[in-house]
PDB file of all heavy atoms in Angstrom:
ATOM      1  N   SER A  11     -20.355  -2.068  25.662  1.00 49.00           N
ATOM      2  CA  SER A  11     -20.066  -0.606  26.049  1.00 49.00           C
ATOM      3  C   SER A  11     -18.788  -0.518  26.850  1.00 49.00           C
ATOM      4  O   SER A  11     -18.028   0.382  26.675  1.00 49.00           O
ATOM      5  CB  SER A  11     -21.239  -0.091  26.804  1.00 49.00           C
ATOM      6  OG  SER A  11     -20.998   1.201  27.274  1.00 49.00           O
ATOM      7  N   LEU A  75     -12.997  24.612  -1.342  1.00 91.00           N
ATOM      8  CA  LEU A  75     -12.192  23.698  -0.562  1.00 91.00           C
ATOM      9  C   LEU A  75     -12.394  22.287  -1.160  1.00 91.00           C
ATOM     10  O   LEU A  75     -13.506  21.843  -1.363  1.00 91.00           O
ATOM     11  CB  LEU A  75     -12.609  23.673   0.916  1.00 91.00           C
ATOM     12  CG  LEU A  75     -11.823  22.783   1.835  1.00 91.00           C
ATOM     13  CD1 LEU A  75     -10.362  23.216   1.942  1.00 91.00           C
ATOM     14  CD2 LEU A  75     -12.446  22.753   3.258  1.00 91.00           C
ATOM     15  N   GLU A 123     -22.676  39.501 -15.862  1.00 87.00           N
ATOM     16  CA  GLU A 123     -21.853  39.642 -17.064  1.00 87.00           C
ATOM     17  C   GLU A 123     -20.367  39.353 -16.721  1.00 87.00           C
ATOM     18  O   GLU A 123     -19.878  39.710 -15.641  1.00 87.00           O
ATOM     19  CB  GLU A 123     -22.001  41.086 -17.638  1.00 87.00           C
ATOM     20  CG  GLU A 123     -23.375  41.497 -18.102  1.00 87.00           C
ATOM     21  CD  GLU A 123     -23.398  42.848 -18.684  1.00 87.00           C
ATOM     22  OE1 GLU A 123     -22.290  43.431 -18.887  1.00 87.00           O
ATOM     23  OE2 GLU A 123     -24.523  43.416 -18.838  1.00 87.00           O
ATOM     24  N   ASN A 150      -9.094  39.903 -13.814  1.00 84.00           N
ATOM     25  CA  ASN A 150      -7.669  39.721 -14.187  1.00 84.00           C
ATOM     26  C   ASN A 150      -7.203  38.274 -14.029  1.00 84.00           C
ATOM     27  O   ASN A 150      -5.991  38.000 -14.056  1.00 84.00           O
ATOM     28  CB  ASN A 150      -6.752  40.621 -13.306  1.00 84.00           C
ATOM     29  CG  ASN A 150      -6.949  42.070 -13.573  1.00 84.00           C
ATOM     30  OD1 ASN A 150      -7.317  42.467 -14.661  1.00 84.00           O
ATOM     31  ND2 ASN A 150      -6.766  42.925 -12.621  1.00 84.00           N
ATOM     32  N   LEU A 151      -8.182  37.318 -13.908  1.00 87.00           N
ATOM     33  CA  LEU A 151      -7.795  35.924 -13.947  1.00 87.00           C
ATOM     34  C   LEU A 151      -7.250  35.574 -15.263  1.00 87.00           C
ATOM     35  O   LEU A 151      -7.912  35.863 -16.309  1.00 87.00           O
ATOM     36  CB  LEU A 151      -8.996  35.084 -13.565  1.00 87.00           C
ATOM     37  CG  LEU A 151      -8.780  33.534 -13.622  1.00 87.00           C
ATOM     38  CD1 LEU A 151      -7.760  33.151 -12.551  1.00 87.00           C
ATOM     39  CD2 LEU A 151     -10.139  32.809 -13.354  1.00 87.00           C
ATOM     40  N   GLN A 157      -8.356  36.036 -20.655  1.00 87.00           N
ATOM     41  CA  GLN A 157      -8.192  36.793 -19.422  1.00 87.00           C
ATOM     42  C   GLN A 157      -9.488  37.596 -19.137  1.00 87.00           C
ATOM     43  O   GLN A 157     -10.100  38.206 -19.985  1.00 87.00           O
ATOM     44  CB  GLN A 157      -7.051  37.904 -19.621  1.00 87.00           C
ATOM     45  CG  GLN A 157      -6.839  38.796 -18.420  1.00 87.00           C
ATOM     46  CD  GLN A 157      -5.644  39.707 -18.602  1.00 87.00           C
ATOM     47  OE1 GLN A 157      -4.942  39.600 -19.611  1.00 87.00           O
ATOM     48  NE2 GLN A 157      -5.457  40.594 -17.733  1.00 87.00           N
ATOM     49  N   ILE A 231      22.370  32.491  -9.949  1.00 87.00           N
ATOM     50  CA  ILE A 231      21.286  31.660  -9.400  1.00 87.00           C
ATOM     51  C   ILE A 231      20.481  30.926 -10.444  1.00 87.00           C
ATOM     52  O   ILE A 231      19.931  29.842 -10.170  1.00 87.00           O
ATOM     53  CB  ILE A 231      20.325  32.524  -8.497  1.00 87.00           C
ATOM     54  CG1 ILE A 231      19.519  33.522  -9.331  1.00 87.00           C
ATOM     55  CG2 ILE A 231      21.057  33.158  -7.358  1.00 87.00           C
ATOM     56  CD1 ILE A 231      18.521  34.260  -8.547  1.00 87.00           C
ATOM     57  N   LEU A 266      15.983  41.101  -3.161  1.00 89.00           N
ATOM     58  CA  LEU A 266      15.537  39.868  -2.617  1.00 89.00           C
ATOM     59  C   LEU A 266      14.091  39.570  -3.028  1.00 89.00           C
ATOM     60  O   LEU A 266      13.713  38.447  -3.447  1.00 89.00           O
ATOM     61  CB  LEU A 266      15.666  39.786  -1.117  1.00 89.00           C
ATOM     62  CG  LEU A 266      17.042  39.696  -0.527  1.00 89.00           C
ATOM     63  CD1 LEU A 266      17.011  39.580   1.014  1.00 89.00           C
ATOM     64  CD2 LEU A 266      17.822  38.518  -1.045  1.00 89.00           C
ATOM     65  N   THR A 340      24.700  25.840  13.140  1.00 89.00           N
ATOM     66  CA  THR A 340      23.635  25.134  12.413  1.00 89.00           C
ATOM     67  C   THR A 340      23.506  25.557  10.989  1.00 89.00           C
ATOM     68  O   THR A 340      23.356  24.704  10.097  1.00 89.00           O
ATOM     69  CB  THR A 340      22.324  25.332  13.167  1.00 89.00           C
ATOM     70  OG1 THR A 340      22.407  24.948  14.521  1.00 89.00           O
ATOM     71  CG2 THR A 340      21.184  24.598  12.480  1.00 89.00           C
ATOM     72  N   GLU A 431       7.795  62.896  -2.122  1.00 90.00           N
ATOM     73  CA  GLU A 431       7.619  64.232  -1.494  1.00 90.00           C
ATOM     74  C   GLU A 431       7.286  65.232  -2.617  1.00 90.00           C
ATOM     75  O   GLU A 431       6.446  66.158  -2.315  1.00 90.00           O
ATOM     76  CB  GLU A 431       8.903  64.611  -0.788  1.00 90.00           C
ATOM     77  CG  GLU A 431       8.834  65.969   0.012  1.00 90.00           C
ATOM     78  CD  GLU A 431       7.909  65.805   1.188  1.00 90.00           C
ATOM     79  OE1 GLU A 431       7.772  64.752   1.717  1.00 90.00           O
ATOM     80  OE2 GLU A 431       7.366  66.837   1.551  1.00 90.00           O
ATOM     81  N   GLU A 469      24.109  59.548   9.559  1.00 51.00           N
ATOM     82  CA  GLU A 469      24.771  59.317  10.868  1.00 51.00           C
ATOM     83  C   GLU A 469      25.625  60.527  11.323  1.00 51.00           C
ATOM     84  O   GLU A 469      25.892  60.741  12.452  1.00 51.00           O
ATOM     85  CB  GLU A 469      25.633  58.079  10.830  1.00 51.00           C
ATOM     86  CG  GLU A 469      24.825  56.784  10.566  1.00 51.00           C
ATOM     87  CD  GLU A 469      25.734  55.594  10.396  1.00 51.00           C
ATOM     88  OE1 GLU A 469      26.922  55.728  10.744  1.00 51.00           O
ATOM     89  OE2 GLU A 469      25.201  54.520   9.990  1.00 51.00           O
ATOM     90  N   GLN A 497      34.902  72.429  -8.665  1.00 69.00           N
ATOM     91  CA  GLN A 497      34.084  72.343  -9.820  1.00 69.00           C
ATOM     92  C   GLN A 497      34.758  71.667 -11.052  1.00 69.00           C
ATOM     93  O   GLN A 497      34.133  70.926 -11.774  1.00 69.00           O
ATOM     94  CB  GLN A 497      33.573  73.691 -10.244  1.00 69.00           C
ATOM     95  CG  GLN A 497      32.637  74.324  -9.187  1.00 69.00           C
ATOM     96  CD  GLN A 497      32.138  75.661  -9.587  1.00 69.00           C
ATOM     97  OE1 GLN A 497      32.589  76.226 -10.580  1.00 69.00           O
ATOM     98  NE2 GLN A 497      31.361  76.241  -8.728  1.00 69.00           N
ATOM     99  N   LYS A 515      43.576  66.659  -4.070  1.00 78.00           N
ATOM    100  CA  LYS A 515      42.977  66.019  -2.886  1.00 78.00           C
ATOM    101  C   LYS A 515      42.746  67.034  -1.724  1.00 78.00           C
ATOM    102  O   LYS A 515      41.697  66.920  -1.073  1.00 78.00           O
ATOM    103  CB  LYS A 515      43.786  64.869  -2.341  1.00 78.00           C
ATOM    104  CG  LYS A 515      43.871  63.701  -3.189  1.00 78.00           C
ATOM    105  CD  LYS A 515      44.670  62.594  -2.573  1.00 78.00           C
ATOM    106  CE  LYS A 515      44.692  61.326  -3.417  1.00 78.00           C
ATOM    107  NZ  LYS A 515      45.543  60.289  -2.810  1.00 78.00           N
ATOM    108  N   ARG A 563      38.596  56.886  10.753  1.00 83.00           N
ATOM    109  CA  ARG A 563      38.301  55.963   9.644  1.00 83.00           C
ATOM    110  C   ARG A 563      36.865  56.001   9.256  1.00 83.00           C
ATOM    111  O   ARG A 563      36.511  55.944   8.133  1.00 83.00           O
ATOM    112  CB  ARG A 563      38.648  54.551  10.097  1.00 83.00           C
ATOM    113  CG  ARG A 563      40.138  54.233  10.197  1.00 83.00           C
ATOM    114  CD  ARG A 563      40.436  52.781  10.310  1.00 83.00           C
ATOM    115  NE  ARG A 563      39.819  52.175  11.444  1.00 83.00           N
ATOM    116  CZ  ARG A 563      40.336  52.005  12.677  1.00 83.00           C
ATOM    117  NH1 ARG A 563      41.564  52.543  12.882  1.00 83.00           N
ATOM    118  NH2 ARG A 563      39.739  51.436  13.664  1.00 83.00           N
ATOM    119  N   ARG A 626      48.090  78.548  12.630  1.00 85.00           N
ATOM    120  CA  ARG A 626      49.383  78.077  13.059  1.00 85.00           C
ATOM    121  C   ARG A 626      49.916  77.045  12.117  1.00 85.00           C
ATOM    122  O   ARG A 626      50.051  75.871  12.467  1.00 85.00           O
ATOM    123  CB  ARG A 626      49.320  77.555  14.487  1.00 85.00           C
ATOM    124  CG  ARG A 626      48.880  78.606  15.540  1.00 85.00           C
ATOM    125  CD  ARG A 626      48.702  77.902  16.872  1.00 85.00           C
ATOM    126  NE  ARG A 626      49.865  77.143  17.299  1.00 85.00           N
ATOM    127  CZ  ARG A 626      49.861  76.150  18.155  1.00 85.00           C
ATOM    128  NH1 ARG A 626      48.712  75.674  18.623  1.00 85.00           N
ATOM    129  NH2 ARG A 626      50.972  75.525  18.463  1.00 85.00           N
TER     130      ARG A 626
END
Side-chain angles (χ1 to χ4, degrees):
S11 176
L75 183 65
E123 296 180 13
N150 295 330
L151 178 65
Q157 179 176 353
I231 66 176
L266 289 184
T340 303
E431 187 66 27
E469 296 176 12
Q497 294 176 358
K515 289 183 180 178
R563 289 195 300 271
R626 296 174 54 204

